[in-house]
Amino acid sequence: MSSAAPAVDKASAKQARVVASPARAERLLAHFHQIRDFTTALCANLEAEDFVVQSMPDVSPTKWHLAHTTWFFETFILKKFASGYRAEIPQYAYLFNSYYNAAGDMHRRDLRGLISRPTVREAQRYRSSIDSHIDNLLSDADEKLLDHIEPILILGIHHEQQHQELLVTDIKHVFAQNPLHPVFRENKAEIAPSKPALMHFLDFEETTFEIGHDGLGFSYDNEGPRHRALVAGFSIASRPVTNGEYLQFIEDGGYRRSQFWLSLGWTAVNEQRWEGPLYWTKRDGAWWNFTLSGFRPVDASEPVTHVSYFEADAYANWAGARLPTEFEWERAASDCPIEGNFVENERFHPQGLISSGEDRRLQQMFGDVWEWTRSAYSPYPGYRAVSGALGEYNGKFMCNQYVLRGGSCATSRTHIRRTYRNFFQPEKRWQFTGIRLARDPQ
Ligand SMILES: [Fe+2]
């Protein structure tokens, strides 16, 4: 008798615990698997040999992206919350940690391309194994445990989306080294060169504006705290700079005239012998462009991409303009719908804007190309990185980098926000980075 009562209580308690959150767990798991599956889908046309090449220190092999995103869930969820969890291959903690010092030592980033083992198949098996453990943990979790896991799982999902973008830009750099010009994905639609839309400048008056994320839904810590900033009057271009416009800068000697360039930029031009955007090659007097759909002539109507901050700044100087600040950009974007050419389109290339006459709206603020701003990547007033390894996610990079806004053709539609702050060093060119001009009031 005395043993029966507690047994019933225990059973009903367990039932209550399991039944309490199936919808929530299911929703989280559906989201988790949707993002994990998209990573796999991005690799659909790759051969095993493609997965292991590291073409420069900034590029990681595809296999490393597959394993590192998995390591994130293993390290920050399974090892913390799955009781009795033991890593099948403990050395993966060293191999697939990227930069989290608080999570332990790590393999050197520039040597990732030397790692032939685990094989691609073993890396894929690692993914499946961790996914199963996450399935089990969440299916069996009570509300309290889900409260702890959910924010980290969502962070891991956004982290994976960031790596999806890197996977695309990294394989582009890998393929670009190959004289056979491998095709990552055939174009779904025929690309017909079009007449680009006219560029207008839209005026914004001086105002005090709320900058940063409002706290509703997910954001990275670097998007806060939300704060008021005085944004002086400015004008901003209705669309990004096109290849055709950038060609005029090249043909006007832009890369040979120091007066347009920052000192560090001029050094980069000369040391790296830049003559045009990354992936542009001149053949028989015409510019060609390596794209993820193959090698083809530069299309004048497309937004220019794969330019560094230095090139963006020099172009703006040549054009009698400047780059926007990130606050100007965020203010201008506040009324723009978050729609555009994102990775879900699977074009993997920016798209030209077809002329629409006197349309004076801001266009292509989201998708196509990340837009360099002239704002140094630094903390907003009151920002403090959280303690522990996840505090290393953004805060420790707030030095010597510039903020980019708006996302690209390799960014997920569900990953970008108006307040999203991407950041890269000013000489980097392998991301889909482009130019939107701004001006002081005339
Ligand atoms: Fe990462």
Side-chain angles (χ1 to χ4, degrees):
M1 193 63 200
S2 62
S3 65
V8 170
D9 285 346
K10 217 168 147 189
S12 59
K14 183 161 188 239
Q15 198 178 25
R17 190 173 70 84
V18 173
V19 171
S21 55
R24 184 179 175 197
E26 273 170 29
R27 178 176 48 79
L28 284 171
L29 281 173
H31 190 189
F32 172 74
H33 286 295
Q34 182 202 351
I35 301 304
R36 297 283 281 170
D37 291 348
F38 190 65
T39 307
T40 307
L42 286 174
C43 303
N45 298 341
L46 298 183
E47 300 294 342
E49 290 81 356
D50 301 326
F51 282 76
V52 295
V53 179
Q54 180 172 31
S55 49
M56 65 160 169
D58 287 325
V59 160
S60 297
T62 307
K63 182 180 70 179
W64 187 88
H65 287 299
L66 297 184
H68 163 70
T69 47
T70 305
W71 166 89
F72 191 98
F73 292 110
E74 182 184 36
T75 304
F76 299 118
I77 294 183
L78 295 178
K79 287 185 177 174
K80 284 212 164 70
F81 300 108
S83 59
Y85 176 79
R86 285 181 61 138
E88 266 173 62
I89 303 170
Q91 296 94 324
Y92 283 5
Y94 174 78
L95 264 186
F96 300 125
N97 180 1
S98 52
Y99 57 65
Y100 300 86
N101 292 310
D105 290 342
M106 64 211 72
H107 184 239
R108 263 175 58 180
R109 177 187 179 141
D110 57 333
L111 302 183
R112 287 172 188 165
L114 301 183
I115 305 301
S116 59
R117 308 296 175 94
T119 62
V120 175
R121 206 173 313 150
E122 283 164 342
Q124 287 162 339
R125 204 152 44 218
Y126 175 48
R127 281 181 76 82
S128 309
S129 160
I130 296 303
D131 288 359
S132 305
H133 281 290
I134 293 282
D135 276 337
N136 293 339
L137 176 65
L138 264 73
S139 306
D140 208 25
D142 59 21
E143 290 289 339
K144 203 163 151 234
L145 185 55
L146 282 184
D147 286 344
H148 288 294
I149 293 175
E150 179 167 354
I152 305 174
L153 189 84
I154 298 293
L155 179 64
I157 284 170
H158 282 271
H159 172 253
E160 179 126 1
Q161 290 183 307
Q162 279 184 286
H163 277 277
Q164 287 167 354
E165 173 150 9
L166 291 170
L167 188 158
V168 169
T169 53
D170 289 0
I171 200 69
K172 180 169 183 176
H173 194 268
V174 168
F175 279 178
Q177 313 311 311
N178 189 332
L180 298 179
H181 302 134
V183 169
F184 175 74
R185 198 68 61 90
E186 295 286 353
N187 265 322
K188 280 193 203 163
E190 187 64 30
I191 293 175
S194 52
K195 189 167 169 279
L198 289 174
M199 184 193 284
H200 304 284
F201 278 84
L202 289 96
D203 299 331
F204 288 81
E205 287 183 1
E206 177 173 303
T207 189
T208 302
F209 192 74
E210 295 274 337
I211 296 292
H213 196 261
D214 61 10
L216 297 171
F218 176 83
S219 68
Y220 286 122
D221 64 350
N222 63 4
E223 294 165 60
R226 190 170 166 92
H227 63 283
R228 284 150 60 86
L230 179 68
V231 183
F234 66 98
S235 303
I236 191 163
S238 55
R239 59 154 174 78
V241 171
T242 61
N243 286 334
E245 288 159 343
Y246 199 80
L247 269 168
Q248 292 173 27
F249 166 67
I250 296 176
E251 283 162 8
D252 195 33
Y255 281 87
R256 298 189 304 274
R257 296 164 67 186
S258 62
Q259 66 263 41
F260 304 126
W261 296 82
L262 289 161
S263 174
L264 286 175
W266 187 239
T267 303
V269 166
N270 289 293
E271 282 183 359
Q272 304 193 41
R273 297 170 188 269
W274 289 344
E275 294 180 342
L278 183 64
Y279 305 129
W280 283 30
T281 312
K282 208 166 192 182
R283 280 210 180 159
D284 302 327
W287 285 101
W288 286 64
N289 194 4
F290 176 77
T291 75
L292 282 166
S293 303
F295 194 57
R296 56 180 171 79
V298 165
D299 179 339
S301 70
E302 291 168 1
V304 67
T305 190
H306 298 300
V307 289
S308 62
Y309 175 83
F310 294 138
E311 288 160 297
D313 179 76
Y315 177 87
N317 286 330
W318 172 82
R322 60 171 174 81
L323 301 178
T325 69
E326 64 168 323
F327 292 173
E328 289 168 345
W329 193 99
E330 190 166 322
R331 189 191 167 203
S334 63
D335 292 327
C336 295
I338 301 181
E339 54 190 33
N341 175 26
F342 292 108
V343 72
E344 287 83 354
N345 287 8
E346 300 192 36
R347 290 178 59 96
F348 307 107
H349 197 71
Q351 214 169 342
L353 196 65
I354 297 164
S355 180
S356 49
E358 279 301 295
D359 197 345
R360 288 187 162 264
R361 286 175 306 138
L362 284 173
Q363 302 196 65
Q364 292 177 299
M365 288 290 276
F366 295 98
D368 287 302
V369 292
W370 285 102
E371 299 177 10
W372 284 108
T373 74
R374 63 170 14 183
S375 298
Y377 178 51
S378 50
Y380 287 168
Y383 171 83
R384 299 287 293 186
V386 295
S387 61
L390 289 175
E392 296 183 54
Y393 202 110
N394 283 311
K396 71 181 186 183
F397 300 108
M398 291 175 171
C399 179
N400 292 347
Q401 313 214 38
Y402 282 84
V403 174
L404 300 108
R405 295 296 196 117
S408 80
C409 57
T411 310
S412 275
R413 162 70 187 79
T414 56
H415 182 67
I416 196 70
R417 288 172 294 282
R418 292 183 180 83
T419 55
Y420 194 108
R421 307 173 79 201
N422 197 1
F423 49 91
F424 278 99
Q425 289 96 351
E427 72 280 10
K428 301 299 185 200
R429 311 206 294 169
W430 94 112
Q431 297 302 301
F432 285 99
T433 46
I435 310 168
R436 186 182 297 267
L437 298 176
R439 288 196 306 224
D440 296 322
Q442 301 289 300

